[in-house]
């Protein structure tokens, strides 16, 4: 088995508290990585042969947007492809997400994954999925919606 990606928990703080969260993230959590930790870990990860990607996640990594931007920059400087896993709470409209995407792109973000399902409590983005993926592509960021299907009783 080849290890080609690391998932880095930027923070345990999240806008939601999901019963299924194996990070035990939520609004009450206050743990967040420091810039010096990010610098050290992105350097170590970038020096590891075979690791090509770092996924910044949490919790909700966009709650600490300036730190996230710095983390993306440091990861890119260490030769890593970068991704962010978000619940998309910050996507209030297609128009309003453009400045966010520009900053992420300018920092070097390659891939954006947005959790969108009943378990994450944000199905509000479902009707916008196509438009969100398109606008991210225009910003040169690959975007994918991810989710967990909730089993339904027969």
């Amino acid at each position: 088995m080849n290890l080609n990606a690391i998932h880095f928990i930027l923070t345990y703080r999240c806008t939601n508290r999901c019963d299924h969260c194996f990070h035990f993230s939520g609004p009450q959590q206050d743990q967040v990585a420091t810039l010096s930790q990010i610098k050290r870990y992105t350097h170590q990860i970038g020096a590891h042969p075979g690791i090509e990607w770092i996924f910044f996640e949490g919790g909700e990594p966009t709650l600490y947007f300036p730190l996230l931007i710095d983390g993306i920059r440091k990861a890119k400087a260490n030769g890593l492809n970068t991704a962010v896993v978000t619940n998309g709470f910050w996507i209030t409209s297609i128009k309003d997400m453009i400045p966010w995407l520009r900053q992420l792109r300018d920092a070097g973000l390659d891939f954006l994954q947005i959790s969108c399902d009943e378990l994450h409590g944000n199905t509000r983005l479902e009707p916008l999925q196509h438009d969100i993926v398109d606008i991210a592509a225009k910003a040169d960021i690959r975007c994918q919606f991810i989710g967990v299907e909730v089993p339904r009783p027969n």
Side-chain angles (χ1 to χ4, degrees):
M1 178 170 74
N2 294 331
L3 178 67
N4 70 349
I6 295 290
H7 290 253
F8 184 87
I9 300 173
L10 190 70
T11 180
Y12 286 92
R13 183 172 298 245
C14 188
T15 55
N16 297 334
R17 192 201 158 293
C18 302
D19 289 337
H20 70 281
C21 182
F22 56 88
H23 295 148
F24 303 102
S25 297
Q28 76 287 358
Q29 300 291 357
D30 60 1
Q31 300 93 335
V32 60
T34 65
L35 189 55
S36 63
Q37 288 172 323
I38 291 170
K39 183 177 180 181
R40 184 173 67 244
Y41 294 141
T42 55
H43 177 74
Q44 290 173 353
I45 294 165
H48 191 284
I51 297 181
E52 301 170 2
W53 285 88
I54 184 167
F55 285 72
F56 291 97
E57 59 181 67
E60 177 52 47
T62 62
L63 287 172
Y64 297 92
F65 197 69
L67 185 63
L68 175 61
I69 293 296
D70 281 343
I72 292 168
R73 286 186 180 127
K74 293 198 179 333
K76 290 305 274 190
N78 284 287
L80 295 164
N81 296 309
T82 57
V84 170
V85 182
T86 177
N87 66 20
F89 85 96
W90 51 274
I91 303 172
T92 54
S93 73
I94 297 299
K95 181 181 176 184
D96 289 343
M97 74 181 286
I98 293 171
W100 290 74
L101 291 174
R102 283 186 185 138
Q103 291 179 71
L104 290 165
R105 177 205 56 215
D106 292 348
L109 185 69
D110 298 297
F111 188 32
L112 181 65
Q113 288 187 319
I114 303 170
S115 298
C116 182
D117 57 40
E118 290 177 43
L119 288 177
H120 289 93
N122 65 344
T123 55
R124 69 178 176 80
L125 297 177
E126 285 179 357
L128 302 174
Q129 284 186 32
H130 181 73
D131 293 334
I132 290 170
V133 170
D134 283 350
I135 201 78
K138 289 178 184 169
D140 293 325
I141 298 172
R142 194 175 73 172
C143 181
Q144 174 187 41
F145 277 77
I146 57 176
V148 179
E149 191 172 325
V150 178
R152 303 279 182 226
N154 294 350

